[in-house]
Amino acid sequence: MSSRPELARPAVAPTDSATPPNAVQRRPEFRGWTLWRRELLRLAVVATIGALVGVWFDAPVAGVAVVLVLVLLVQIRHLIQLRIWLQHPKRYDLPEPGGLWGEAFDALLDLQRKNRKKKKKLAAILAQFQASTAALPDGAVVLGPRGEISWFNTAARTLLGLRVPQDIGIRVPNLIRHPIFTDYFEKAHFEGEVEVPSPVNNSKTLLLRVIPYGNNQRLLIARDVSERQMLEVARRDFVANASHELRTPLTVLRGYLDMMEMDAQGNGVLSPWAAPLSEMRNQALRMESLVNDMLKLARLEAGRAQARDEKLDPPGLIRRTVEEARTLSKGQHRFEVEIDEGLKLTGPEAALHSIFQNLVTNAVRYTPVGGAVHVSWRETAEGARFAVEDTGIGVAPQDIPRLTERFYRVDVGRSRASGGTGLGLSIVKHALDAFDAQLDVDSEIGVGSTFACMFPPHRVIRDPVPGSTKDSLPTAH
Ligand code: ADP
């Protein structure tokens, strides 16, 4: 096979001013019919020459036949050369025949050059992409339709311990074997993110998030949140410890204040101090409730991961809570209770008690004398619903989204006057997290409010206890 520099074809007609000087020069473009005419003319010329030579030997037909066979052999030779070149384009060069074959070979070389250019460009983009993702502090893993790993960056190697090429093609739940991640991945909802210990180093915590994209593909992002988590734990521990430490001196102070107040009520030496002593005692009580609520919140936050789930009896707990609320109300409110007796829950008991107590107490505190509080515990299509409805002062729509923030009060004076700490609904929100439950608030100023907790089906247990109880007792004695 002939060998010549690949790009050394003679320039026939430059077609593109942007073509580099050493590029294959294109021949003029012809339409199909023009090509047919030109080739048939060439064949006719060759056949005529063959006929003329044949006349010399007194056999013009044989002359034409011989020439046509030669033409056919040349075509077959070019086809064979093309076939060999297509198989090993790097080892052999295409020949430079004239005519149609030459043009076809030129076009092929041009195509090959363009493809190489495109490949180089793509490789450069890929290298750039890989360099930028390698610089990312977050691990990025590209997953196929079955969750199999098809690519990952350098951070994914350090954070998740992935190896090339061993882990390519392996399903990611087989490598990150934490039940929280497996559950998150197999559910395939991919809302939010999950925190799991790093498979490489147990003391590190990773925040994993799966983002679906394209044609059934997914991107797994892994972020090291150990430091943030450590700070969060330190903050929580500080609040819990500070609250715990404050409790003892407060109890001592309150004990003395109780004694002194008792003395001041009579005709003792402290009687001129009766008013300040009563105020001091009230403030000490307020500090005690604040410290208790802060401790409760810190415990709820800390206990989320290791909260013990047990079978709970919400009907019994609701009845007890309503009794406490009746005491707080001192007969000034009407209570209605509607309970589905067979509807039970699984979860941590202290958390459920906090939810019920805070919501029912708030309904009493924010409902003027003579108002009604309706408490219900029912099964719904989405699980179970605990609702406290009151005919109280209500909350403005713009305040509703902020009610569960720590220390957020719509009316600070009113909250304090009724013994509020501003932490009640924050505690409710955290306690509901332990049940994977949601809080729904519906309220209208001057009409009343409904605080409803929606417990998901996986937390609900149905006991074979018939019916529900309804109790509508006016508590005014
Ligand atoms: P607080 O100790 O102040 O009651 P919470 O966190 O329990 O703190 O409640 C936050 C705020 O939400 C309250 O200050 C009050 O303004 C409002 N709120 C809570 N429950 C009710 C209710 N049932 N009716 C009207 N407002 C309420």
Side-chain angles (χ1 to χ4, degrees):
M1 186 164 271
S2 70
S3 168
R4 52 111 178 84
E6 190 194 348
L7 302 174
R9 283 179 184 279
V12 179
T15 53
D16 186 356
S17 59
T19 310
N22 62 345
V24 172
Q25 300 296 320
R26 287 205 192 130
R27 296 180 187 226
E29 285 193 9
F30 292 109
R31 286 167 165 270
W33 176 237
T34 324
L35 290 174
W36 268 109
R37 248 195 352 223
R38 197 188 66 189
E39 290 310 307
L40 287 175
L41 195 71
R42 271 189 195 166
L43 205 62
V45 170
V46 173
T48 312
I49 292 171
L52 287 177
V53 175
V55 167
W56 186 265
F57 293 102
D58 219 8
V61 178
V64 172
V66 168
V67 166
L68 287 180
V69 166
L70 282 175
V71 168
L72 191 66
L73 286 176
V74 169
Q75 304 300 317
I76 292 172
R77 184 172 164 254
H78 289 331
L79 262 177
I80 291 170
Q81 285 169 331
L82 177 63
R83 165 77 175 74
I84 292 171
W85 179 81
L86 283 174
Q87 212 167 359
H88 306 287
K90 283 197 180 143
R91 212 182 307 162
Y92 302 104
D93 283 334
L94 273 177
E96 288 179 82
L100 205 52
W101 278 107
E103 286 163 15
F105 288 172
D106 273 353
L108 269 175
L109 287 171
D110 202 19
L111 209 67
Q112 188 197 39
R113 185 185 59 82
K114 274 187 191 153
N115 276 343
R116 278 193 189 149
K117 223 168 142 182
K118 237 186 230 168
K119 224 163 116 183
K120 255 192 204 165
K121 216 167 155 180
L122 276 176
I125 292 173
L126 196 67
Q128 232 174 36
F129 170 74
Q130 285 184 339
S132 56
T133 48
L136 274 180
D138 293 348
V141 186
V142 175
L143 305 173
R146 289 182 308 106
E148 73 278 12
I149 297 174
S150 44
W151 178 86
F152 50 83
N153 68 350
T154 324
R157 291 186 204 194
T158 25
L159 293 176
L160 299 166
L162 300 182
R163 298 153 306 162
V164 197
Q166 296 97 312
D167 294 336
I168 298 287
I170 294 186
R171 288 192 77 237
V172 78
N174 295 341
L175 295 168
I176 307 172
R177 288 171 162 272
H178 196 281
I180 293 181
F181 178 73
T182 315
D183 196 44
Y184 169 75
F185 195 83
E186 299 304 349
K187 270 189 190 153
H189 288 323
F190 305 134
E191 280 154 17
E193 45 218 3
V194 285
E195 269 182 28
V196 295
S198 158
V200 188
N201 181 351
N202 242 351
S203 64
K204 285 196 172 210
T205 307
L206 300 181
L207 188 77
L208 300 180
R209 182 183 187 150
V210 175
I211 306 160
Y213 73 97
N215 192 12
N216 219 355
Q217 281 189 305
R218 283 165 276 184
L219 181 69
L220 169 71
I221 301 286
R223 175 171 298 172
D224 185 352
V225 288
S226 320
E227 211 167 303
R228 197 189 76 187
Q229 222 202 17
M230 264 158 58
L231 282 173
E232 179 66 16
V233 170
R235 180 194 65 80
R236 232 162 39 203
D237 286 353
F238 173 76
V239 174
N241 292 338
S243 313
H244 189 73
E245 291 301 322
L246 279 169
R247 254 169 116 173
T248 319
L250 262 174
T251 314
V252 175
L253 276 177
R254 198 164 69 82
Y256 281 120
L257 284 170
D258 281 349
M259 275 162 47
M260 288 160 86
E261 206 197 0
M262 262 192 309
D263 186 82
Q265 308 273 295
N267 290 326
V269 281
L270 288 176
S271 56
W273 292 88
L277 278 172
S278 159
E279 182 55 22
M280 281 160 80
R281 191 174 162 274
N282 284 345
Q283 293 299 333
L285 277 174
R286 216 168 82 70
M287 273 173 82
E288 242 179 12
S289 0
L290 254 172
V291 163
N292 285 340
D293 274 3
M294 276 162 67
L295 201 57
K296 216 182 272 179
L297 199 55
R299 280 191 185 140
L300 274 169
E301 281 182 318
R304 253 199 90 185
Q306 70 259 16
R308 264 186 307 109
D309 287 349
E310 45 192 311
K311 187 179 169 188
L312 306 174
D313 173 34
L317 201 55
I318 292 169
R319 271 193 293 274
R320 283 206 299 282
T321 311
V322 172
E323 280 320 306
E324 286 165 21
R326 279 186 171 135
T327 315
L328 179 73
S329 154
K330 297 188 185 112
Q332 292 169 333
H333 300 89
R334 194 160 64 83
F335 284 87
E336 288 169 7
V337 185
E338 202 183 315
I339 298 177
D340 183 336
E341 294 292 338
L343 196 57
K344 305 289 160 80
L345 280 179
T346 49
E349 176 151 28
L352 193 65
H353 185 244
S354 291
I355 296 166
F356 291 173
Q357 195 196 32
N358 277 300
L359 293 183
V360 180
T361 310
N362 274 357
V364 174
R365 285 170 46 223
Y366 296 106
T367 301
V369 174
V373 177
H374 181 99
V375 180
S376 61
W377 173 239
R378 293 194 199 114
E379 191 165 15
T380 65
E382 293 86 33
R385 182 176 187 264
F386 170 75
V388 182
E389 203 179 328
D390 63 49
T391 55
I393 58 170
V395 185
Q398 70 272 18
D399 288 315
I400 293 179
R402 302 197 58 190
L403 291 182
T404 55
E405 286 175 21
R406 282 156 215 236
F407 297 113
Y408 186 81
R409 288 123 150 173
V410 178
D411 179 342
V412 180
R414 191 173 198 133
S415 159
R416 283 194 185 145
S418 63
T421 60
L423 291 173
L425 291 180
S426 189
I427 291 176
V428 169
K429 185 176 168 262
H430 277 89
L432 285 173
D433 283 349
F435 287 88
D436 315 305
Q438 302 278 334
L439 179 68
D440 265 7
V441 184
D442 189 18
S443 190
E444 200 180 327
I445 290 274
V447 177
S449 319
T450 304
F451 286 77
C453 310
M454 319 298 292
F455 293 89
H458 68 268
R459 290 281 176 184
V460 178
I461 302 171
R462 165 56 67 191
D463 261 5
V465 176
S468 62
T469 56
K470 204 167 177 178
D471 155 30
S472 174
L473 293 176
T475 53
H477 304 294

